[in-house]
Amino acid sequence: MDADEIDWNRTLREQWEFHWKHQLRAGPEGLTDDEHFWSPVPDAWSVRPRGSSTAPVQLGAGDFTIDFAFPQTVPAAFTTIAWRLGHVIVGVLAARNAAHFGASAASYETWDYAGSAATALDQLETQLDVWLAGVRSLGDAGLQVPIGEKEPFPEAPMADLVLHIHRELIHHLSEVCLLRDLYRHTNRATNGATR
């Protein structure tokens, strides 16, 4: 097959869609609030009710904020499922959807973070839908256009950003699935397991 005959836009979308549908989607399905906010280590960063965090920086516009530090702590703080989903929803997807696909402006500072697992998963699904529709709208020609000044590498083609976002999604949502597995295996009273 000639490279000119490949539908690169479909191929890039399917990279994420296949992983989501066949490897990740079931992972967060039915996520409980206990799992969402569970902290497997002391002082893990999370999403918390406003005013209850001890992190150096708390960001967000609503009743819940996300923990941060500037500059980042060394070593990096351990993060909960709630934090990782907040990062994916806002920093990976919503900010890019706003910058490149005409969605409402979004930032860590202005986001209304989810106070429940169900709300976080709804936000995730919404942002994923916007992202995939935006990528689809680029067609093959749009994948070759430079990203522009909204990203650190403005001269890179949009295809590079799509690949980067998909790597971020696969990476962080795999972490969510792993943390959920860890929760289930360390909280036997919750999952009914006997060992």
Side-chain angles (χ1 to χ4, degrees):
M1 175 178 274
D2 188 327
D4 293 334
E5 297 174 19
I6 297 172
D7 182 345
W8 288 108
N9 189 286
R10 179 190 55 77
T11 300
L12 289 178
R13 282 183 286 111
E14 285 182 355
Q15 174 205 30
W16 162 248
E17 289 173 321
F18 179 86
H19 198 76
W20 176 241
K21 289 176 185 169
H22 300 288
Q23 294 174 307
L24 286 177
R25 185 179 214 145
E29 214 168 83
L31 184 70
T32 67
D33 288 348
D34 284 345
E35 293 168 313
H36 184 66
F37 293 111
W38 176 62
S39 180
V41 300
D43 301 319
W45 282 0
S46 193
V47 170
R48 304 175 194 284
R50 181 171 295 285
S52 67
S53 175
T54 60
V57 176
Q58 303 93 47
L59 302 172
D63 292 336
F64 287 80
T65 60
I66 194 167
D67 297 337
F68 269 100
F70 300 107
Q72 279 274 355
T73 60
V74 177
F78 192 88
T79 57
T80 65
I81 290 174
W83 192 96
R84 290 165 201 247
L85 287 177
H87 169 62
V88 168
I89 292 162
V90 181
V92 176
L93 290 169
R96 272 31 183 272
N97 288 338
H100 301 286
F101 302 129
S104 298
S107 70
Y108 289 114
E109 296 83 2
T110 62
W111 194 257
D112 189 4
Y113 290 94
S116 71
T119 303
L121 293 177
D122 287 346
Q123 289 179 347
L124 176 63
E125 288 279 355
T126 297
Q127 294 305 318
L128 285 170
D129 289 347
V130 172
W131 172 255
L132 286 173
V135 171
R136 184 177 291 109
S137 74
L138 294 171
D140 281 354
L143 291 171
Q144 299 173 40
V145 173
I147 296 169
E149 298 300 322
K150 298 171 183 174
E151 299 290 339
F153 302 99
E155 71 288 343
M158 194 66 178
D160 284 6
L161 178 65
V162 172
L163 287 168
H164 169 68
I165 296 303
H166 291 177
R167 283 190 304 265
E168 285 282 293
L169 291 170
I170 292 166
H171 167 79
H172 289 299
L173 294 175
S174 294
E175 292 174 331
V176 166
C177 292
L178 178 63
L179 280 173
R180 192 166 189 212
D181 285 346
L182 182 61
Y183 175 89
R184 290 174 174 167
H185 287 277
T186 57
N187 292 285
R188 290 183 214 115
T190 303
N191 67 20
T194 55
R195 293 186 189 254

